[in-house]
Amino acid sequence: MQSRTKKILTLLSVGLVVALVAFVGVIYTLVRNSPDRLPEITAFAHDRTERVSPLAYCNLYLEDCQSFGVTELDVPPGYPLQLSLPPEIVDAPWRIFALYQDPSGAPVILQQAYRAGEKRAVTVPSSEELQLAGVEIQLPSAVVDQEGLPHARAVWSIKTA
């Protein structure tokens, strides 16, 4: 190769390295400055999937709280609601409340508590006799009420009917 060709190739190589370093720097800055994502639940029912953001999310001492909205997902009578939970829920004690309506329209609430690591997914049944109206998943806080029960620090709420 000629001396001039070698110089051009060297300059192009240096230019590509500088561009690559600049690109990596920009990506790093964008990722570092991006807001932390709150844990989401994946809900599936009747061939439809929804990502469920928290209705409310606080730290362990009920500080720095953020509020969002309720997620809606149609669950016809007789079809189950399937929930896939992120590690932020699974790796802590958590509880689920399922709200049903009986044939007269009266509410029926079923509650289940889980230990850390016990369940990564839950199926919430529904029937013609007990129509699923909604589900709420809660993470307890370090703050307790007068009876010693922990307040919820994070809540995910799904309206199903």
Side-chain angles (χ1 to χ4, degrees):
M1 262 197 262
Q2 292 182 359
S3 173
R4 183 174 181 198
T5 305
K6 286 182 184 179
K7 286 181 184 178
I8 291 173
L9 286 176
T10 302
L11 286 175
L12 283 174
S13 298
V14 169
L16 286 174
V17 169
V18 168
L20 180 62
V21 168
F23 177 74
V24 169
V26 168
I27 295 298
Y28 173 77
T29 301
L30 289 173
V31 169
R32 184 186 68 205
N33 293 335
S34 68
D36 291 335
R37 290 187 53 122
L38 295 177
E40 293 179 324
I41 293 172
T42 302
F44 177 80
H46 201 242
D47 295 329
R48 189 162 166 234
T49 302
E50 286 288 333
R51 302 288 296 173
V52 181
S53 296
L55 172 65
Y57 196 87
C58 304
N59 69 14
L60 194 56
Y61 301 99
L62 299 181
E63 303 162 338
D64 301 322
C65 296
Q66 301 174 40
S67 297
F68 303 93
V70 174
T71 300
E72 294 188 27
L73 179 61
D74 185 42
V75 180
Y79 285 88
L81 171 66
Q82 296 172 318
L83 304 173
S84 177
L85 309 171
E88 292 87 350
I89 296 174
V90 172
D91 294 341
W94 58 279
R95 60 187 173 223
I96 183 170
F97 295 89
L99 173 63
Y100 293 91
Q101 286 185 330
D102 70 12
S104 71
V108 176
I109 299 174
L110 301 178
Q111 174 186 338
Q112 177 70 43
Y114 294 96
R115 294 184 311 268
E118 187 175 350
K119 281 259 200 196
R120 295 197 175 284
V122 177
T123 299
V124 183
S126 180
S127 68
E128 296 290 335
E129 295 77 34
L130 280 178
Q131 169 62 38
L132 184 62
V135 172
E136 189 170 283
I137 292 179
Q138 299 180 352
L139 284 178
S141 72
V143 178
V144 295
D145 64 15
Q146 294 173 350
E147 288 132 22
L149 299 173
H151 289 277
R153 73 176 188 90
V155 176
W156 291 261
S157 184
I158 307 167
K159 182 179 183 231
T160 61

